[in-house]
Amino acid sequence: MTGAAATIPTLETERLVLRAPVYADFEPYAEINMSDRASYMGGPMSRRAAWQMFCTETAPWWIQGFGYWTCALKEAGDVVGFTGFNRLPVYEETEFGWQVRAGFEGRGLAFEATAAALAYARAELNFPSLVSYIDPENVRSQALARRLGAVQDDTAPVPEDETPEECLVFRHWPTGSA
């Protein structure tokens, strides 16, 4: 599924559509990453850095066969956030990540979107395991990872540009159990 002919699947949940990112999705993405919401991910970022990260998280669909979806409300079309998978050269494993826009927390939307993405990964992708790299102070992301069934893995390597004190690793399923 790699290369220019890659097709990005659309996933639907009760309230959301996880769809291919489009250029207009950069504005809500920048809103998240240029704000204090990005403080656990190296932000707030400049607009240029937010654009580079947007490209970093969406381009893998064409070069790796997986990437990030835009998560939008089915009825209104409002972009709630983003979720998906990435394997940067500084990662030893494939990362499962998510971002939620201000005003959309506390309704179970992040869980709904990430559970759909995780189910897709289990059914369609051949990941031996997935990890989420989470800042130790980001208790909301840690809680979501645990709700998804992930367990903290203190033996897993962190990205090469971080230390174990800066990054917790949550494993979504053990190697070989997917």
Side-chain angles (χ1 to χ4, degrees):
M1 189 163 136
T2 59
T7 300
I8 301 173
T10 298
L11 308 179
E12 290 194 24
T13 68
E14 181 181 337
R15 299 176 289 172
L16 300 170
V17 175
L18 281 66
R19 60 165 173 77
V22 297
Y23 184 77
D25 296 335
F26 173 65
E27 292 307 324
Y29 187 88
E31 173 191 303
I32 295 168
N33 288 286
M34 293 173 64
S35 74
D36 288 339
R37 298 185 73 72
S39 63
Y40 300 124
M41 305 174 303
M45 300 174 189
S46 68
R47 188 167 176 81
R48 177 183 296 269
W51 173 253
Q52 291 169 338
M53 186 61 70
F54 182 73
C55 293
T56 297
E57 291 182 344
T58 57
W61 282 113
W62 289 272
I63 58 177
Q64 295 175 315
F66 53 84
Y68 271 61
W69 286 277
T70 297
C71 307
L73 293 174
K74 266 187 185 176
E75 300 302 318
D78 297 345
V79 173
V80 170
F82 304 87
T83 190
F85 316 104
N86 204 342
R87 179 86 187 254
L88 299 176
V90 297
Y91 296 170
E92 289 198 29
E93 298 187 63
T94 303
E95 179 192 29
F96 177 37
W98 50 83
Q99 296 180 317
V100 178
R101 290 176 70 197
F104 291 100
E105 313 94 329
R107 297 191 236 170
L109 295 168
F111 177 76
E112 193 172 319
T114 54
L118 197 56
Y120 176 83
R122 282 187 176 269
E124 302 295 330
L125 302 172
N126 293 319
F127 298 136
S129 182
L130 284 170
V131 296
S132 292
Y133 300 116
I134 302 177
D135 186 289
E137 294 182 19
N138 191 344
V139 294
R140 293 182 88 166
S141 277
Q142 291 175 47
L144 179 54
R146 287 186 180 99
R147 187 171 175 203
L148 291 165
V151 295
Q152 189 170 331
D153 184 349
D154 294 330
T155 65
V158 299
E160 70 182 36
D161 55 350
E162 298 192 50
T163 68
E165 295 77 33
E166 300 170 318
C167 179
L168 301 176
V169 180
F170 283 81
R171 186 164 303 284
H172 291 274
W173 62 75
T175 301
S177 73

